[in-house]
Amino acid sequence: MTDLSKYRNIGIFAHVDAGKTTTTERILKLTGKIHKTGEVHDGESTTDFMEQEAERGITIQSAAVTCFWKDHRFNVIDTPGHVDFTVEVYRSLKVLDGGIGVFCGSGGVEPQSETNWRYANDSEVARIIFVNKLDRMGADFFRVTDQVKKVLGAHPLIMVLPIGREDEFVGVVDLLSMKAYVWDDSGLPENYEITDIPADMLDDAQMYREQLIETALEADEDLLMEYLEEGTEPSMEDIKRCIRQGTRDLMFFPTYCGSAFKNKGMQLVLDAVVDYLPSPTEVDPQDLTDEEGNPTGKHAIVSTEEPFRALAFKIMDDRFGALTFVRIYSGKIAKGDTILNSFTGKTERVGRMVEMQANERTELSNAQAGDIIAIVGMKNVQTGHTLCDPKHECTLEAMVFPEPVISIAVQPKDKGSVDKMGIAIGKMVAEDPTFQVETDEDSGETILKGMGELHLDIKVDILKRTYGVELIVGQPQVAYRETITKAIEDSYTHKKQSGGSGQYGKIDYRIRPAEPGAGFAFASKVVGGNVPKEFWPAVEKGFRLMMEEGPLAGFPVLDVEIELFDGSYHAVDSSAIAFEIAAKGAFRQSMPKAGPQLIEPIMKVDVFSPEDNVGDVIGDLNRRRGMIKDQEPSSTGIRVKADVPLSEMFGYIGHLRTITSGRGQFSMEFSHYLPCPAQVAEKVIAEAKARKAAEK
């Protein structure tokens, strides 16, 4: 068993194309896990093993790998950079203790790096920064560190300086040891020399070293006072201890640079993982919650002596069966143990456990706190479920996933594929919590919902290739919603008499618009028992069920407050059902009077454009009803930030490439809902009515 202080559970995350997967490949090569490095642009890397990944040169699902460096065990998760797959980053961060944020030396802090950085801040994950691709044209280490300060509001602690710029980049100066690491052109990571710092860099190195020590010592006031007053430099051990402490407390982020592709500068990053990123025991322990998800004040302390507690953070289906990726927080687990899923209340026996090597695996007979492993063949486990010792039931803090904003209707091309599609989609929904599927009861169509066009595009591709299901795909549909604009007060009586006991329920209520994003809220202010307390939940249920279909076009209703303030009941004829029916009738009667309005999802769009084309890009976004928020110049072009309705963004990438001669890029994520302009609303409502009429 490895000593827990020698474990490092780390994730590598960044924007598309900053070189995360290449960095992971280099780590594996350096730690002796693989002998030939596969290149992403040849579609041969170890962790991008899905066909869709190799083809598009992007990472779609996080892959887990275990390797060793200087007696320390690294569990590395390579996460995707594309915005449609951020859920993969989010759930990986949830179970990691530290991370390496990779930034491109020329692209700098790109939109996705911002999102991932925000997730990492939310999860309070300690990170080191690696500025990659310094051998590229336009790469500038200091510009990127400035962006980290400005755009991310983070404090980069510069640990190394680059020697040479762009294609003359040959190595780095390590500011702590004041030595230069210089690589030759063989491209082999081990071919480097440690030499004296080039004379023309000495002054800069001295200046940055002083800044480094001063910032590091902020983690220990006594040492800082001593240093400032007496000018005595603390020992190397003390400096490293302070950097470790400050990194763990997110005061600053040790920042390195290099070129993963050319194998330059990677060893120092691995040393930094060992020296500065926390082991599982040094991270604040995960909260334990009750069944509703409220904190209980107890924690899952990382120790092998505690009862077994683990979080299933990812489900993956492959040729050997379903794999459940599990992060063990406390206790031990062995083959043949029985464990409890506290979400379903069912126990399962652990058959096979494996340590993952991307898509290869090593069988394990036992595992312990701090490990990230995969269990084969778990039946009812889903992402976010807690697995624990049946004698010590507990729930770990669950994961929250964003709601999908785009949907497409699909149907299999032939009858034979219907069952095949059902099974395949079932597996895919288990794997990806942001991918949802429902059947439209009126039309019988299957509706796939996801985070963006690329997300659904890849899902359809996986269905076709991995599962052999040919689909007819409809037009993408936007998740419109409805809301109200006026407050009204109204009354409704439900009365039914037909021999025997009848049904009776009268309610007086107020309906008013709620704050945007507030959802549906219900309150009862009835006094004196005019509507007995036991019927209040029935009234709420009636209204809540009706919120699924709005009065305008049948889209779900958002941001409404309903207050029940009076009513009356009959001693014999009143029942929960009668009041539920009254609430449904009240919804039908009053919603059309409350100024119903169609609202549409607005996306936060981040477009990168070369300087020459920026006028065209902005003009095009304006035509798409976009609100331009900001323009930021970068070394290679301009980044335009805008809020644009999702309905106007379909097929945008093709259009953007045309106006920028293939150099433009963009990313988008859901931001908020806003009212539709009248002419758009009329068209959407007319289409919805036509669809309903056709179905009848």
Coordinates of all heavy atoms in Angstrom, one line a residue, residues 622-654:
N622 N -24.6 41.3 -34.6 CA -25.7 42.2 -34.4 C -26.9 41.7 -35.2 O -28.1 41.8 -34.8 CB -25.3 43.6 -34.9 CG -24.4 44.3 -33.8 OD1 -24.6 44.0 -32.7 ND2 -23.6 45.2 -34.3
R623 N -26.6 41.2 -36.4 CA -27.8 40.7 -37.2 C -28.4 39.5 -36.5 O -29.6 39.2 -36.8 CB -27.2 40.2 -38.6 CG -27.3 41.3 -39.7 CD -27.1 40.8 -41.1 NE -25.8 40.1 -41.3 CZ -24.6 40.7 -41.4 NH1 -24.6 42.1 -41.4 NH2 -23.5 40.1 -41.6
R624 N -27.7 38.8 -35.7 CA -28.2 37.6 -35.0 C -28.8 38.1 -33.7 O -28.9 37.3 -32.7 CB -27.1 36.6 -34.7 CG -26.6 36.0 -36.0 CD -25.3 35.1 -35.7 NE -24.7 34.7 -36.9 CZ -25.0 33.5 -37.6 NH1 -25.9 32.7 -37.0 NH2 -24.4 33.2 -38.7
R625 N -29.2 39.4 -33.6 CA -29.8 39.9 -32.4 C -28.8 39.9 -31.2 O -29.3 39.7 -30.0 CB -31.1 39.2 -32.0 CG -32.2 39.3 -33.1 CD -33.5 38.9 -32.6 NE -33.7 37.5 -32.5 CZ -34.1 36.8 -31.4 NH1 -34.3 37.4 -30.3 NH2 -34.2 35.5 -31.5
G626 N -27.5 39.9 -31.4 CA -26.6 39.8 -30.3 C -26.3 41.1 -29.7 O -26.5 42.2 -30.3
M627 N -26.0 41.1 -28.4 CA -25.7 42.3 -27.6 C -24.2 42.2 -27.4 O -23.7 41.3 -26.7 CB -26.3 42.3 -26.2 CG -27.8 42.6 -26.3 SD -28.1 44.4 -26.3 CE -27.4 44.9 -24.8
I628 N -23.4 43.1 -28.0 CA -21.9 43.1 -27.8 C -21.6 43.6 -26.4 O -22.0 44.7 -26.1 CB -21.2 43.9 -28.9 CG1 -21.7 43.5 -30.3 CG2 -19.7 43.8 -28.8 CD1 -21.4 42.1 -30.8
K629 N -20.8 42.8 -25.7 CA -20.5 43.2 -24.3 C -19.1 43.8 -24.1 O -18.9 44.6 -23.3 CB -20.6 41.9 -23.4 CG -22.0 41.5 -23.1 CD -22.7 42.4 -22.1 CE -24.1 42.2 -21.8 NZ -24.5 41.1 -21.1
D630 N -18.2 43.2 -24.9 CA -16.8 43.6 -24.7 C -15.9 43.2 -25.9 O -16.3 42.2 -26.6 CB -16.3 42.8 -23.4 CG -15.1 43.4 -22.9 OD1 -14.7 44.5 -23.3 OD2 -14.4 42.7 -22.0
Q631 N -14.8 43.9 -26.1 CA -13.8 43.5 -27.1 C -12.5 43.6 -26.4 O -12.1 44.6 -25.8 CB -13.9 44.5 -28.3 CG -15.1 44.4 -29.1 CD -15.0 45.4 -30.2 OE1 -14.1 45.5 -31.0 NE2 -16.0 46.3 -30.4
E632 N -11.7 42.5 -26.6 CA -10.4 42.4 -25.9 C -9.4 42.1 -27.0 O -9.4 41.1 -27.6 CB -10.3 41.3 -24.9 CG -10.9 41.6 -23.6 CD -10.9 40.4 -22.7 OE1 -10.1 39.5 -22.9 OE2 -11.7 40.4 -21.7
P633 N -8.4 43.0 -27.2 CA -7.3 42.7 -28.2 C -6.4 41.7 -27.6 O -6.1 41.7 -26.4 CB -6.6 44.0 -28.4 CG -7.1 45.0 -27.3 CD -8.3 44.4 -26.6
S634 N -5.9 40.7 -28.4 CA -4.9 39.8 -28.0 C -3.8 39.9 -29.0 O -3.9 40.6 -30.0 CB -5.4 38.4 -27.8 OG -5.6 37.8 -29.1
S635 N -2.7 39.1 -28.8 CA -1.6 39.3 -29.8 C -1.9 38.8 -31.2 O -1.4 39.3 -32.1 CB -0.4 38.4 -29.3 OG -0.8 37.1 -29.3
T636 N -2.9 37.9 -31.3 CA -3.1 37.3 -32.6 C -4.5 37.8 -33.2 O -4.9 37.3 -34.3 CB -3.1 35.8 -32.5 OG1 -3.9 35.4 -31.4 CG2 -1.7 35.3 -32.3
G637 N -5.3 38.6 -32.4 CA -6.6 39.0 -33.0 C -7.4 39.7 -31.9 O -6.8 40.2 -30.9
I638 N -8.7 39.6 -32.0 CA -9.6 40.3 -31.0 C -10.6 39.3 -30.5 O -11.1 38.4 -31.3 CB -10.4 41.4 -31.7 CG1 -9.4 42.3 -32.5 CG2 -11.3 42.2 -30.7 CD1 -9.1 43.7 -31.9
R639 N -10.9 39.3 -29.2 CA -11.9 38.5 -28.7 C -13.2 39.3 -28.5 O -13.1 40.3 -27.8 CB -11.5 37.9 -27.4 CG -10.7 36.6 -27.5 CD -10.3 36.1 -26.2 NE -11.4 35.8 -25.3 CZ -11.2 35.5 -24.1 NH1 -10.0 35.4 -23.6 NH2 -12.2 35.2 -23.3
V640 N -14.3 38.9 -29.0 CA -15.5 39.7 -28.9 C -16.4 38.8 -28.0 O -16.7 37.6 -28.2 CB -16.2 39.8 -30.3 CG1 -17.5 40.6 -30.1 CG2 -15.3 40.5 -31.2
K641 N -16.9 39.5 -26.9 CA -17.9 38.8 -26.0 C -19.2 39.4 -26.3 O -19.4 40.6 -26.3 CB -17.5 39.0 -24.6 CG -16.1 38.4 -24.3 CD -15.8 38.5 -22.8 CE -14.5 37.6 -22.5 NZ -14.2 37.5 -21.1
A642 N -20.2 38.5 -26.4 CA -21.6 39.0 -26.7 C -22.6 38.0 -26.1 O -22.3 36.9 -25.8 CB -21.8 39.0 -28.2
D643 N -23.8 38.5 -25.9 CA -25.0 37.7 -25.5 C -25.8 37.5 -26.7 O -26.3 38.5 -27.3 CB -25.8 38.4 -24.4 CG -25.0 38.3 -23.0 OD1 -24.0 37.6 -23.0 OD2 -25.5 38.9 -22.0
V644 N -26.1 36.3 -27.1 CA -26.8 36.1 -28.4 C -27.9 35.0 -28.1 O -27.6 34.0 -27.5 CB -25.9 35.6 -29.5 CG1 -26.6 35.6 -30.9 CG2 -24.6 36.4 -29.6
P645 N -29.1 35.2 -28.7 CA -30.1 34.1 -28.5 C -29.6 32.8 -29.2 O -29.1 32.9 -30.3 CB -31.3 34.7 -29.2 CG -31.1 36.1 -29.3 CD -29.6 36.3 -29.4
L646 N -29.9 31.7 -28.5 CA -29.5 30.4 -29.0 C -30.1 30.1 -30.4 O -29.4 29.6 -31.3 CB -29.9 29.3 -28.1 CG -29.7 27.8 -28.5 CD1 -28.2 27.6 -28.7 CD2 -30.2 26.8 -27.6
S647 N -31.3 30.6 -30.6 CA -32.0 30.2 -31.9 C -31.3 30.8 -33.1 O -31.4 30.4 -34.2 CB -33.4 30.8 -31.8 OG -33.4 32.2 -31.6
E648 N -30.5 31.9 -32.9 CA -29.8 32.5 -34.0 C -28.4 31.9 -34.2 O -27.6 32.4 -35.0 CB -29.6 34.0 -33.7 CG -30.9 34.8 -33.4 CD -31.7 35.0 -34.6 OE1 -31.2 34.9 -35.7 OE2 -32.9 35.3 -34.5
M649 N -28.0 31.0 -33.3 CA -26.6 30.5 -33.4 C -26.4 29.2 -34.1 O -25.3 28.7 -34.2 CB -26.0 30.4 -31.9 CG -25.8 31.7 -31.2 SD -24.6 32.8 -32.1 CE -23.1 31.9 -31.8
F650 N -27.5 28.6 -34.7 CA -27.3 27.3 -35.3 C -26.4 27.5 -36.6 O -26.5 28.4 -37.3 CB -28.6 26.7 -35.7 CG -29.4 26.3 -34.6 CD1 -30.8 26.6 -34.5 CD2 -28.9 25.6 -33.5 CE1 -31.5 26.2 -33.3 CE2 -29.6 25.2 -32.4 CZ -30.9 25.6 -32.3
G651 N -25.5 26.5 -36.7 CA -24.6 26.6 -37.9 C -23.6 27.7 -37.9 O -23.1 28.1 -39.0
Y652 N -23.4 28.3 -36.8 CA -22.6 29.6 -36.7 C -21.2 29.3 -37.1 O -20.5 30.1 -37.8 CB -22.7 30.2 -35.3 CG -21.9 31.5 -35.2 CD1 -22.2 32.6 -35.9 CD2 -20.8 31.5 -34.3 CE1 -21.4 33.8 -35.8 CE2 -20.0 32.7 -34.1 CZ -20.3 33.8 -34.9 OH -19.6 34.9 -34.8
I653 N -20.6 28.2 -36.7 CA -19.2 27.9 -36.9 C -18.8 28.0 -38.4 O -17.8 28.6 -38.8 CB -18.7 26.6 -36.3 CG1 -17.2 26.4 -36.4 CG2 -19.4 25.4 -36.9 CD1 -16.4 27.4 -35.6
G654 N -19.7 27.4 -39.3 CA -19.4 27.5 -40.7 C -19.4 28.9 -41.2 O -18.5 29.3 -42.0

